[in-house]
Amino acid sequence: MSGNTFGTVFRLTTYGESHGPALGGVIDGCPPGVPLSEPVIQHELDRRRPGAGGLTGTARREPDAVRLLSGVFEGETTGTPIGFVIENTDQRSRDYEAAKSLLRPGHADGTYLAKYGRRDYRGGGRASARETAARVAGGAVAGAMLAPLGVTVVAYTVEFGGIPARVLAPADAADRPFYAPDPEVIPAWETRAKEAMASGDSLGGIIEVLALGVPAGLGEPVFDKLDARLAYALMGVGAVKGVEIGSGFAAARLLGSQNNDPIVSPPESNHAGGILGGIANGQPLVIRAAVKPIPSIAREQRTSDVSGQPATIIVGGRHDRSAIPRVVPVLRAMTLLVLADMWLLQKTVHG
Amino acid sequence: MSGNTFGTVFRLTTYGESHGPALGGVIDGCPPGVPLSEPVIQHELDRRRPGAGGLTGTARREPDAVRLLSGVFEGETTGTPIGFVIENTDQRSRDYEAAKSLLRPGHADGTYLAKYGRRDYRGGGRASARETAARVAGGAVAGAMLAPLGVTVVAYTVEFGGIPARVLAPADAADRPFYAPDPEVIPAWETRAKEAMASGDSLGGIIEVLALGVPAGLGEPVFDKLDARLAYALMGVGAVKGVEIGSGFAAARLLGSQNNDPIVSPPESNHAGGILGGIANGQPLVIRAAVKPIPSIAREQRTSDVSGQPATIIVGGRHDRSAIPRVVPVLRAMTLLVLADMWLLQKTVHG
Amino acid sequence: MSGNTFGTVFRLTTYGESHGPALGGVIDGCPPGVPLSEPVIQHELDRRRPGAGGLTGTARREPDAVRLLSGVFEGETTGTPIGFVIENTDQRSRDYEAAKSLLRPGHADGTYLAKYGRRDYRGGGRASARETAARVAGGAVAGAMLAPLGVTVVAYTVEFGGIPARVLAPADAADRPFYAPDPEVIPAWETRAKEAMASGDSLGGIIEVLALGVPAGLGEPVFDKLDARLAYALMGVGAVKGVEIGSGFAAARLLGSQNNDPIVSPPESNHAGGILGGIANGQPLVIRAAVKPIPSIAREQRTSDVSGQPATIIVGGRHDRSAIPRVVPVLRAMTLLVLADMWLLQKTVHG
Amino acid sequence: MSGNTFGTVFRLTTYGESHGPALGGVIDGCPPGVPLSEPVIQHELDRRRPGAGGLTGTARREPDAVRLLSGVFEGETTGTPIGFVIENTDQRSRDYEAAKSLLRPGHADGTYLAKYGRRDYRGGGRASARETAARVAGGAVAGAMLAPLGVTVVAYTVEFGGIPARVLAPADAADRPFYAPDPEVIPAWETRAKEAMASGDSLGGIIEVLALGVPAGLGEPVFDKLDARLAYALMGVGAVKGVEIGSGFAAARLLGSQNNDPIVSPPESNHAGGILGGIANGQPLVIRAAVKPIPSIAREQRTSDVSGQPATIIVGGRHDRSAIPRVVPVLRAMTLLVLADMWLLQKTVHG
């Protein structure tokens, strides 16, 4: 439980630094008979790749080609662990040499030093967003398991750089820039992104995840409530600083008579976000996550070097202007991983 | 991992229904030599008891007397598991008979049925807030372990019924009504509470947890990041619908240049809430949780019976008007449990 | 995972010292709908009690009365955790004061000191065989879950003090002295026991566990093979020094052509003991455990005191002449716990 | 916990089939600062390779070249997960096509079918002994962590084909045929092996593992006792049918006065095998495992096909005449993995 394994029965273990030889993972506990192949995973990885999601701003172009190493035979999972690897092919670690002795504000440089007494300073090492590729691969397997059961998960951006979007057609967001749920908001978001880039700055936003077809009953009280596991899953993604379910923080300002969803058919409201007492109630799950602006900005910042001396830094390397487009598929993947695990756990309750 | 154990090395396992014979728990992994006695735990339980926190509204008066059953010898922990039990002495389950066949909106009645095919309908059973007494007892042990290390955790209410409070003297909040961090807000909150009670309604709010003295290095990337574990811990408390760290959702609207904390000594800001890359950076941890209004309201609501037929319900029994005062000590306890676990895990990294 | 929780999905967590206020446990992950009551558990506890199993020699007479605290409603499990407690009522800790500073050979006195830097020296504390009462209670719940599925587990003594028994009617052993599978061996065993007692000495033996009706497919390769989990379960019981499956150590001396079981119907042999590749094959499980002679003997022994000075000790207190009769129900319980867990895990594979 | 992760804090997760693209694993929880490189692991893998250990009989020649993918920087571990992969380069899966529909006696063919409803029939798939290469790699990392602490583990063959060996110089066994602890026994073992090969048969034996320098205090009562974890670790290796500690099964026939080790300095005996109450006492750990004769024999055997029809089979492919030489390094590796985990867990107790 040293932090690199996720899940109880459907379990993803990951490894890999930004500029090491490769990253990858092992999925244990996936039942046999799930149709799976490299293209199924590759399709999801391509969405997460720098440049996908419509927001430019990174020079790094990794093919992120996944290779399946085990656990699949004749096109289906066998029940044994599924190993996969993604080679790092475009590492350019020389870019990062200059900053070897400086701590980047908003990054994990100093905290990795504090924790481990050392750090792989090439491009963030394990703390790099590149780590999330293995999560997306794991989520693709979870999604393949859940798809025939009628569970679908979509994720989209509901606010970017302070500009909110209407949620009109969330299922279409996957093919739009910024994963926008409303095409009309895109020009405003593009303008906002250009402004930030022009001033060497970066932007954050809010992502919503919507899970449909989740059967009532998923969730393991009292500590492994469905919402607790979702919060754990999403807050564990770099750059996420807040998670809420259903009405979330707004619920704190409502009266009980406003926030309670009457139990009627069809449902009239979903303040609960599909979860009561930590257990899915059959309504859609609604989860939102706050994503901070990416800390790598092209402006001089005050910092300290590794020996504690004051310094200034201009963070070089190749960077996105916002984590949003890369985080959207990751949050979707993490939600799928939670649901796959909870689905299997529920089989032990009522199977 | 069926949901009733919390933690990896410092582990709390709990049991108990609202109206069963007793509730309690087992703490495993507490090191030897921690001064511990029943009064140490009782002190924390008394804060959580109905009526504490200054907000009246429940008729139930449980003494919540804890009894230590093992793991303590001559006033100190021995390293063996610490069993404890809290008897249920004032159960009045007849109050709940009437609602046996009706599902209460906003409660877990229907989801427990969906999950388990049955439910202990007496007062919420396992889904009752009464379950959290065992969390508070566990947190008291975690706190006893952490206290000599200089870690202190305080929790207080920063918003109640939509009315925010200034955070003036958080350490004093524990002795004020509503756990208010500013005595001047109390009259407004009392008025708000009376209004809600008069209309048979209920209120929510926002609780902040502040952890001081947390050493840099705690947190286990990548899935068990400190913020991920805190989100998991707090979102798993009934009524919590959102969790944020540092600037939280507000960070989504800031520019990178605004949200980055310069690495200077002394620190000038703490947008990160004391966590970078999932690892504590030595600054105070700042966590906020949104608490929904309590769903038991004294007003007629539309619902369904257990067979799915439409019905109306007026929830009887003894109820608080807001969960806020009872949840404050619980969130503090959960934070202590996370920190105790992360402290011990960090010993395996750099010990 | 600090050692006091057993199982992955069907999980038993235990606590309690020999001479503390009480011992007990929590069973998490038991599905709803299992018929359960205090008498069901008490029946198994009574078998384990000093004096049961036909071998006299202890003066301690604990009623070992179990009290169910949660997780059962209207005579059936609800799916929530099952808490139980057994009070210690006959502790006589004064008996042990004299030996407070001396380490008893063959006991855990010195190793607990080495591990924890202290120990609860009253009657063995957590290392006392009394701890196993909670295992038997847990096994009773596992057995209640498995019984309707046709799984039955019996345990009996196949060798005592060096004298082997024929295995004639293992199912009847539960009601015989020494859990003997052949009534004719009992007089010889009684003579052996009397000889040992007369010389202030103690005896060991070999216990066999037979599990019938275990469905093919149970077991989780590669580390959680069914035989690996059984070995873990049984070797973790105090006094057990060896575990073997099927032909066990004898298989090391056979040729492959002798040890392979032909796959024919009905089966002609069971050298494998019902497990191939760590997975049950549908034949009976056959497991044997070697139990050392109880280390508390009424003879002077050379030892050291807690400061490391040489000393001699005559162990006082109330002691059995052999652990065998008390261990038989414990090994049966541990086997049931393993099977219950593996049964539930298998639901996640093929459910 | 679906069976492919081993350990609590120092954790090895493995994947890979005999004839898939590759096998490998992830080690999580290894502290930073352990000197590690591919040659360190390769050295151990070479010992396990078919043909090492001095016993001929397999035609397969895999280079078993390990590639480190993460977690190591500038020659030392960083604290992040260590990914590694071993490509399968000599698969010849056509050898196994003929036996696709037949179940091999003594193998896991039928039980994998029962568990998963399918199987990767190429060379045993996940049930192949090839899986253990990842264990040896994991053990190499555990050994690298433990070496500077003075812990050393050796393993050797104490009985082969029914012929016992004297344990004269166990530390030299690693460089001898059969890992023999006495060079004089080798001719008799070679003769025995040739006889078995001539008759198309196979042999088993008994392996002893000796761990020196294990500090007193390791082991986590009550379920994760050191001996319980060792039994779990060793019994989980294919072909192992029995595990014993210290005097093991022989202890069942001793009197207490014979089996108790007097607590004197220096120690006069070690019947306990270095473990009391599940905790190391500072003496050498002594563990023995019984290994069955390899089930792939070159003789006709009665079996059934996958549809249940009676059949006969002569198992083709490339096979060893005994698992002994390949299992010796695997049992050493598993012991190192247990000790590494227990070492780190002990830091949480007394750190």
Side-chain angles (χ1 to χ4, degrees), chain A residues 3 115 159 201 219 223-225 232 236 253 257 260 268 301-302 346, chain B residues 3 115 159 201 219 223-225 232 236 253 257 260 268 301-302 346:
Chain A
K115 181 170 195 67
E159 187 176 307
D201 223 320
F223 296 119
D224 289 334
K225 288 182 170 126
Y232 164 68
R253 285 148 202 157
S257 60
N260 283 356
E268 293 176 0
Q301 298 180 81
R302 287 174 298 149
Q346 178 64 358
Chain B
K115 182 170 193 66
E159 187 177 307
D201 222 318
F223 295 119
D224 288 335
K225 288 184 170 123
Y232 163 68
R253 285 149 203 157
S257 60
N260 282 356
E268 294 177 359
Q301 299 180 80
R302 288 173 299 149
Q346 178 64 359

mmCIF file of all heavy atoms in Angstrom, chain A residues 3 115 159 201 219 223-225 232 236 253 257 260 268 301-302 346, chain B residues 3 115 159 201 219 223-225 232 236 253 257 260 268 301-302 346:
data_model
loop_
_atom_site.group_PDB
_atom_site.id
_atom_site.type_symbol
_atom_site.label_atom_id
_atom_site.label_comp_id
_atom_site.label_asym_id
_atom_site.label_seq_id
_atom_site.Cartn_x
_atom_site.Cartn_y
_atom_site.Cartn_z
ATOM 1 N N GLY A 3 1.238 3.224 -2.234
ATOM 2 C CA GLY A 3 0.718 4.317 -3.010
ATOM 3 C C GLY A 3 0.594 4.106 -4.492
ATOM 4 O O GLY A 3 0.018 4.947 -5.175
ATOM 5 N N LYS A 115 10.478 13.908 1.108
ATOM 6 C CA LYS A 115 10.008 12.553 1.374
ATOM 7 C C LYS A 115 11.109 11.525 1.193
ATOM 8 O O LYS A 115 11.313 10.659 2.038
ATOM 9 C CB LYS A 115 8.848 12.200 0.434
ATOM 10 C CG LYS A 115 8.309 10.809 0.681
ATOM 11 C CD LYS A 115 7.026 10.519 -0.051
ATOM 12 C CE LYS A 115 6.401 9.260 0.556
ATOM 13 N NZ LYS A 115 5.939 9.433 1.922
ATOM 14 N N GLU A 159 -16.035 24.525 -16.716
ATOM 15 C CA GLU A 159 -15.550 25.886 -16.512
ATOM 16 C C GLU A 159 -14.078 25.918 -16.879
ATOM 17 O O GLU A 159 -13.336 24.995 -16.565
ATOM 18 C CB GLU A 159 -15.732 26.300 -15.041
ATOM 19 C CG GLU A 159 -15.396 27.758 -14.785
ATOM 20 C CD GLU A 159 -15.676 28.170 -13.340
ATOM 21 O OE1 GLU A 159 -16.797 27.945 -12.852
ATOM 22 O OE2 GLU A 159 -14.735 28.703 -12.705
ATOM 23 N N ASP A 201 1.322 32.868 -18.790
ATOM 24 C CA ASP A 201 0.604 32.365 -17.612
ATOM 25 C C ASP A 201 -0.178 31.093 -17.957
ATOM 26 O O ASP A 201 -0.104 30.593 -19.082
ATOM 27 C CB ASP A 201 -0.331 33.457 -17.078
ATOM 28 C CG ASP A 201 -0.273 33.547 -15.554
ATOM 29 O OD1 ASP A 201 -0.211 32.473 -14.918
ATOM 30 O OD2 ASP A 201 -0.279 34.673 -15.030
ATOM 31 N N GLY A 219 -20.996 0.563 -3.829
ATOM 32 C CA GLY A 219 -20.466 1.361 -2.707
ATOM 33 C C GLY A 219 -20.389 0.509 -1.464
ATOM 34 O O GLY A 219 -21.265 -0.327 -1.241
ATOM 35 N N PHE A 223 -16.372 3.213 5.253
ATOM 36 C CA PHE A 223 -15.222 4.016 4.833
ATOM 37 C C PHE A 223 -15.061 4.027 3.314
ATOM 38 O O PHE A 223 -14.516 4.963 2.755
ATOM 39 C CB PHE A 223 -13.944 3.506 5.496
ATOM 40 C CG PHE A 223 -13.944 3.649 6.996
ATOM 41 C CD1 PHE A 223 -13.852 2.548 7.833
ATOM 42 C CD2 PHE A 223 -14.040 4.902 7.573
ATOM 43 C CE1 PHE A 223 -13.853 2.690 9.208
ATOM 44 C CE2 PHE A 223 -14.043 5.051 8.964
ATOM 45 C CZ PHE A 223 -13.953 3.935 9.776
ATOM 46 N N ASP A 224 -15.504 2.964 2.678
ATOM 47 C CA ASP A 224 -15.351 2.863 1.225
ATOM 48 C C ASP A 224 -16.637 3.202 0.492
ATOM 49 O O ASP A 224 -16.991 2.576 -0.517
ATOM 50 C CB ASP A 224 -14.853 1.456 0.853
ATOM 51 C CG ASP A 224 -13.411 1.257 1.283
ATOM 52 O OD1 ASP A 224 -12.683 2.259 1.391
ATOM 53 O OD2 ASP A 224 -13.003 0.107 1.498
ATOM 54 N N LYS A 225 -17.321 4.206 1.006
ATOM 55 C CA LYS A 225 -18.501 4.712 0.325
ATOM 56 C C LYS A 225 -18.144 5.063 -1.110
ATOM 57 O O LYS A 225 -17.005 5.461 -1.399
ATOM 58 C CB LYS A 225 -19.017 5.954 1.049
ATOM 59 C CG LYS A 225 -19.665 5.635 2.390
ATOM 60 C CD LYS A 225 -20.216 6.914 3.037
ATOM 61 C CE LYS A 225 -21.074 6.570 4.238
ATOM 62 N NZ LYS A 225 -20.621 7.281 5.451
ATOM 63 N N TYR A 232 -11.337 10.062 -3.460
ATOM 64 C CA TYR A 232 -9.962 9.545 -3.365
ATOM 65 C C TYR A 232 -9.363 9.413 -4.758
ATOM 66 O O TYR A 232 -8.223 9.827 -5.009
ATOM 67 C CB TYR A 232 -10.035 8.201 -2.651
ATOM 68 C CG TYR A 232 -8.851 7.300 -2.750
ATOM 69 C CD1 TYR A 232 -7.638 7.615 -2.147
ATOM 70 C CD2 TYR A 232 -8.948 6.082 -3.416
ATOM 71 C CE1 TYR A 232 -6.562 6.743 -2.214
ATOM 72 C CE2 TYR A 232 -7.880 5.205 -3.484
ATOM 73 C CZ TYR A 232 -6.686 5.544 -2.890
ATOM 74 O OH TYR A 232 -5.619 4.684 -2.958
ATOM 75 N N GLY A 236 -6.577 12.288 -6.165
ATOM 76 C CA GLY A 236 -5.244 11.747 -6.339
ATOM 77 C C GLY A 236 -4.625 12.047 -7.692
ATOM 78 O O GLY A 236 -3.481 11.667 -7.951
ATOM 79 N N ARG A 253 -25.451 25.433 1.353
ATOM 80 C CA ARG A 253 -26.249 26.669 1.483
ATOM 81 C C ARG A 253 -27.741 26.431 1.295
ATOM 82 O O ARG A 253 -28.535 27.368 1.362
ATOM 83 C CB ARG A 253 -25.767 27.693 0.459
ATOM 84 C CG ARG A 253 -24.447 28.323 0.857
ATOM 85 C CD ARG A 253 -23.572 28.702 -0.295
ATOM 86 N NE ARG A 253 -22.188 28.783 0.173
ATOM 87 C CZ ARG A 253 -21.111 28.667 -0.597
ATOM 88 N NH1 ARG A 253 -21.247 28.461 -1.896
ATOM 89 N NH2 ARG A 253 -19.899 28.720 -0.103
ATOM 90 N N SER A 257 -35.182 20.970 2.949
ATOM 91 C CA SER A 257 -36.341 20.787 2.066
ATOM 92 C C SER A 257 -35.996 21.080 0.612
ATOM 93 O O SER A 257 -36.687 20.628 -0.296
ATOM 94 C CB SER A 257 -37.493 21.672 2.531
ATOM 95 O OG SER A 257 -37.081 23.038 2.503
ATOM 96 N N ASN A 260 -33.125 17.809 -0.332
ATOM 97 C CA ASN A 260 -33.623 16.432 -0.431
ATOM 98 C C ASN A 260 -34.246 16.192 -1.806
ATOM 99 O O ASN A 260 -35.035 17.005 -2.288
ATOM 100 C CB ASN A 260 -34.699 16.172 0.631
ATOM 101 C CG ASN A 260 -34.111 15.948 2.023
ATOM 102 O OD1 ASN A 260 -32.905 15.912 2.193
ATOM 103 N ND2 ASN A 260 -34.995 15.805 3.013
ATOM 104 N N GLU A 268 -37.153 13.769 -10.086
ATOM 105 C CA GLU A 268 -37.314 15.181 -10.444
ATOM 106 C C GLU A 268 -36.052 15.990 -10.209
ATOM 107 O O GLU A 268 -35.909 17.103 -10.700
ATOM 108 C CB GLU A 268 -38.454 15.776 -9.625
ATOM 109 C CG GLU A 268 -39.812 15.179 -9.987
ATOM 110 C CD GLU A 268 -40.916 15.710 -9.095
ATOM 111 O OE1 GLU A 268 -40.623 16.541 -8.205
ATOM 112 O OE2 GLU A 268 -42.075 15.287 -9.294
ATOM 113 N N GLN A 301 9.808 33.516 -11.290
ATOM 114 C CA GLN A 301 9.189 33.291 -9.988
ATOM 115 C C GLN A 301 10.259 33.232 -8.898
ATOM 116 O O GLN A 301 11.371 32.789 -9.132
ATOM 117 C CB GLN A 301 8.426 31.958 -9.986
ATOM 118 C CG GLN A 301 7.291 31.896 -10.984
ATOM 119 C CD GLN A 301 6.572 30.543 -10.919
ATOM 120 O OE1 GLN A 301 5.735 30.325 -10.060
ATOM 121 N NE2 GLN A 301 6.929 29.652 -11.829
ATOM 122 N N ARG A 302 9.848 33.619 -7.706
ATOM 123 C CA ARG A 302 10.763 33.511 -6.570
ATOM 124 C C ARG A 302 10.723 32.085 -6.020
ATOM 125 O O ARG A 302 9.653 31.503 -5.863
ATOM 126 C CB ARG A 302 10.370 34.487 -5.469
ATOM 127 C CG ARG A 302 10.687 35.946 -5.826
ATOM 128 C CD ARG A 302 10.141 36.873 -4.757
ATOM 129 N NE ARG A 302 8.689 36.766 -4.681
ATOM 130 C CZ ARG A 302 7.973 36.940 -3.570
ATOM 131 N NH1 ARG A 302 8.573 37.220 -2.424
ATOM 132 N NH2 ARG A 302 6.667 36.829 -3.585
ATOM 133 N N GLN A 346 -19.437 -5.670 -5.241
ATOM 134 C CA GLN A 346 -20.862 -5.892 -5.013
ATOM 135 C C GLN A 346 -21.240 -7.345 -5.312
ATOM 136 O O GLN A 346 -22.188 -7.877 -4.727
ATOM 137 C CB GLN A 346 -21.693 -4.905 -5.845
ATOM 138 C CG GLN A 346 -23.200 -5.059 -5.732
ATOM 139 C CD GLN A 346 -23.745 -4.779 -4.331
ATOM 140 O OE1 GLN A 346 -22.999 -4.490 -3.403
ATOM 141 N NE2 GLN A 346 -25.042 -4.900 -4.173
ATOM 142 N N GLY B 3 -15.102 -2.269 3.455
ATOM 143 C CA GLY B 3 -15.549 -0.928 3.749
ATOM 144 C C GLY B 3 -15.522 -0.495 5.184
ATOM 145 O O GLY B 3 -15.759 0.672 5.477
ATOM 146 N N LYS B 115 -28.561 -2.504 -1.981
ATOM 147 C CA LYS B 115 -27.276 -3.178 -1.834
ATOM 148 C C LYS B 115 -27.405 -4.544 -1.184
ATOM 149 O O LYS B 115 -26.868 -5.528 -1.666
ATOM 150 C CB LYS B 115 -26.316 -2.325 -1.002
ATOM 151 C CG LYS B 115 -24.942 -2.963 -0.863
ATOM 152 C CD LYS B 115 -23.918 -2.053 -0.251
ATOM 153 C CE LYS B 115 -22.533 -2.654 -0.465
ATOM 154 N NZ LYS B 115 -22.132 -2.715 -1.862
ATOM 155 N N GLU B 159 -18.785 28.294 7.629
ATOM 156 C CA GLU B 159 -20.028 28.790 7.041
ATOM 157 C C GLU B 159 -21.154 27.937 7.587
ATOM 158 O O GLU B 159 -21.023 26.715 7.685
ATOM 159 C CB GLU B 159 -19.958 28.704 5.506
ATOM 160 C CG GLU B 159 -21.147 29.353 4.823
ATOM 161 C CD GLU B 159 -21.039 29.324 3.301
ATOM 162 O OE1 GLU B 159 -20.009 29.765 2.765
ATOM 163 O OE2 GLU B 159 -21.980 28.814 2.666
ATOM 164 N N ASP B 201 -37.291 22.806 9.109
ATOM 165 C CA ASP B 201 -36.287 22.571 8.082
ATOM 166 C C ASP B 201 -34.905 22.383 8.714
ATOM 167 O O ASP B 201 -34.748 22.381 9.932
ATOM 168 C CB ASP B 201 -36.273 23.742 7.088
ATOM 169 C CG ASP B 201 -36.155 23.250 5.651
ATOM 170 O OD1 ASP B 201 -35.359 22.322 5.408
ATOM 171 O OD2 ASP B 201 -36.854 23.808 4.783
ATOM 172 N N GLY B 219 2.642 11.475 2.830
ATOM 173 C CA GLY B 219 1.873 11.283 1.605
ATOM 174 C C GLY B 219 2.556 10.254 0.734
ATOM 175 O O GLY B 219 3.783 10.222 0.675
ATOM 176 N N PHE B 223 -1.265 7.111 -5.900
ATOM 177 C CA PHE B 223 -2.693 7.003 -5.618
ATOM 178 C C PHE B 223 -3.017 7.407 -4.183
ATOM 179 O O PHE B 223 -4.131 7.820 -3.896
ATOM 180 C CB PHE B 223 -3.187 5.585 -5.895
ATOM 181 C CG PHE B 223 -3.092 5.183 -7.338
ATOM 182 C CD1 PHE B 223 -2.313 4.108 -7.739
ATOM 183 C CD2 PHE B 223 -3.786 5.886 -8.309
ATOM 184 C CE1 PHE B 223 -2.225 3.738 -9.078
ATOM 185 C CE2 PHE B 223 -3.705 5.524 -9.647
ATOM 186 C CZ PHE B 223 -2.916 4.442 -10.033
ATOM 187 N N ASP B 224 -2.064 7.215 -3.303
ATOM 188 C CA ASP B 224 -2.312 7.522 -1.891
ATOM 189 C C ASP B 224 -1.698 8.855 -1.492
ATOM 190 O O ASP B 224 -1.159 9.014 -0.390
ATOM 191 C CB ASP B 224 -1.775 6.381 -1.023
ATOM 192 C CG ASP B 224 -2.639 5.146 -1.142
ATOM 193 O OD1 ASP B 224 -3.828 5.290 -1.477
ATOM 194 O OD2 ASP B 224 -2.143 4.035 -0.905
ATOM 195 N N LYS B 225 -1.805 9.808 -2.387
ATOM 196 C CA LYS B 225 -1.373 11.156 -2.074
ATOM 197 C C LYS B 225 -2.062 11.624 -0.793
ATOM 198 O O LYS B 225 -3.189 11.217 -0.491
ATOM 199 C CB LYS B 225 -1.753 12.088 -3.230
ATOM 200 C CG LYS B 225 -0.892 11.878 -4.473
ATOM 201 C CD LYS B 225 -1.256 12.894 -5.563
ATOM 202 C CE LYS B 225 -0.260 12.841 -6.691
ATOM 203 N NZ LYS B 225 -0.904 12.555 -8.002
ATOM 204 N N TYR B 232 -10.698 11.132 0.641
ATOM 205 C CA TYR B 232 -11.341 9.841 0.905
ATOM 206 C C TYR B 232 -11.889 9.809 2.337
ATOM 207 O O TYR B 232 -13.034 9.402 2.578
ATOM 208 C CB TYR B 232 -10.293 8.759 0.683
ATOM 209 C CG TYR B 232 -10.555 7.401 1.238
ATOM 210 C CD1 TYR B 232 -11.576 6.595 0.731
ATOM 211 C CD2 TYR B 232 -9.760 6.882 2.254
ATOM 212 C CE1 TYR B 232 -11.779 5.312 1.224
ATOM 213 C CE2 TYR B 232 -9.954 5.605 2.749
ATOM 214 C CZ TYR B 232 -10.973 4.831 2.242
ATOM 215 O OH TYR B 232 -11.169 3.569 2.733
ATOM 216 N N GLY B 236 -16.029 10.307 3.069
ATOM 217 C CA GLY B 236 -16.665 9.105 3.598
ATOM 218 C C GLY B 236 -17.497 9.340 4.841
ATOM 219 O O GLY B 236 -18.118 8.408 5.356
ATOM 220 N N ARG B 253 -10.105 29.226 -10.829
ATOM 221 C CA ARG B 253 -10.336 30.529 -11.471
ATOM 222 C C ARG B 253 -9.110 31.433 -11.418
ATOM 223 O O ARG B 253 -9.158 32.562 -11.906
ATOM 224 C CB ARG B 253 -11.514 31.219 -10.789
ATOM 225 C CG ARG B 253 -12.837 30.614 -11.198
ATOM 226 C CD ARG B 253 -13.897 30.662 -10.131
ATOM 227 N NE ARG B 253 -14.886 29.623 -10.400
ATOM 228 C CZ ARG B 253 -15.682 29.087 -9.481
ATOM 229 N NH1 ARG B 253 -15.614 29.476 -8.220
ATOM 230 N NH2 ARG B 253 -16.535 28.153 -9.813
ATOM 231 N N SER B 257 0.201 32.262 -12.156
ATOM 232 C CA SER B 257 1.046 33.221 -11.423
ATOM 233 C C SER B 257 0.401 33.664 -10.121
ATOM 234 O O SER B 257 1.087 34.134 -9.209
ATOM 235 C CB SER B 257 1.336 34.430 -12.310
ATOM 236 O OG SER B 257 0.115 35.061 -12.681
ATOM 237 N N ASN B 260 0.383 29.893 -7.751
ATOM 238 C CA ASN B 260 1.657 29.347 -7.271
ATOM 239 C C ASN B 260 2.087 30.062 -5.992
ATOM 240 O O ASN B 260 2.056 31.290 -5.932
ATOM 241 C CB ASN B 260 2.759 29.547 -8.329
ATOM 242 C CG ASN B 260 2.671 28.540 -9.458
ATOM 243 O OD1 ASN B 260 1.837 27.633 -9.439
ATOM 244 N ND2 ASN B 260 3.533 28.694 -10.453
ATOM 245 N N GLU B 268 4.727 33.174 2.151
ATOM 246 C CA GLU B 268 3.847 34.340 1.984
ATOM 247 C C GLU B 268 2.416 33.935 1.665
ATOM 248 O O GLU B 268 1.496 34.750 1.764
ATOM 249 C CB GLU B 268 4.400 35.227 0.861
ATOM 250 C CG GLU B 268 5.745 35.844 1.215
ATOM 251 C CD GLU B 268 6.315 36.657 0.061
ATOM 252 O OE1 GLU B 268 5.666 36.712 -1.009
ATOM 253 O OE2 GLU B 268 7.412 37.219 0.241
ATOM 254 N N GLN B 301 -42.885 15.029 3.026
ATOM 255 C CA GLN B 301 -42.113 14.872 1.804
ATOM 256 C C GLN B 301 -42.713 13.754 0.954
ATOM 257 O O GLN B 301 -43.265 12.795 1.470
ATOM 258 C CB GLN B 301 -40.663 14.516 2.137
ATOM 259 C CG GLN B 301 -39.939 15.570 2.950
ATOM 260 C CD GLN B 301 -38.500 15.143 3.252
ATOM 261 O OE1 GLN B 301 -37.622 15.265 2.424
ATOM 262 N NE2 GLN B 301 -38.298 14.602 4.438
ATOM 263 N N ARG B 302 -42.526 13.885 -0.345
ATOM 264 C CA ARG B 302 -42.961 12.820 -1.252
ATOM 265 C C ARG B 302 -41.899 11.728 -1.297
ATOM 266 O O ARG B 302 -40.709 12.009 -1.392
ATOM 267 C CB ARG B 302 -43.187 13.374 -2.662
ATOM 268 C CG ARG B 302 -44.430 14.250 -2.771
ATOM 269 C CD ARG B 302 -44.501 14.894 -4.140
ATOM 270 N NE ARG B 302 -43.346 15.746 -4.382
ATOM 271 C CZ ARG B 302 -42.798 15.958 -5.579
ATOM 272 N NH1 ARG B 302 -43.306 15.399 -6.650
ATOM 273 N NH2 ARG B 302 -41.749 16.753 -5.712
ATOM 274 N N GLN B 346 5.518 6.765 6.423
ATOM 275 C CA GLN B 346 6.743 7.500 6.091
ATOM 276 C C GLN B 346 7.957 6.896 6.805
ATOM 277 O O GLN B 346 9.083 6.985 6.302
ATOM 278 C CB GLN B 346 6.567 8.984 6.433
ATOM 279 C CG GLN B 346 7.783 9.862 6.181
ATOM 280 C CD GLN B 346 8.183 9.945 4.707
ATOM 281 O OE1 GLN B 346 7.575 9.345 3.831
ATOM 282 N NE2 GLN B 346 9.241 10.688 4.440
#
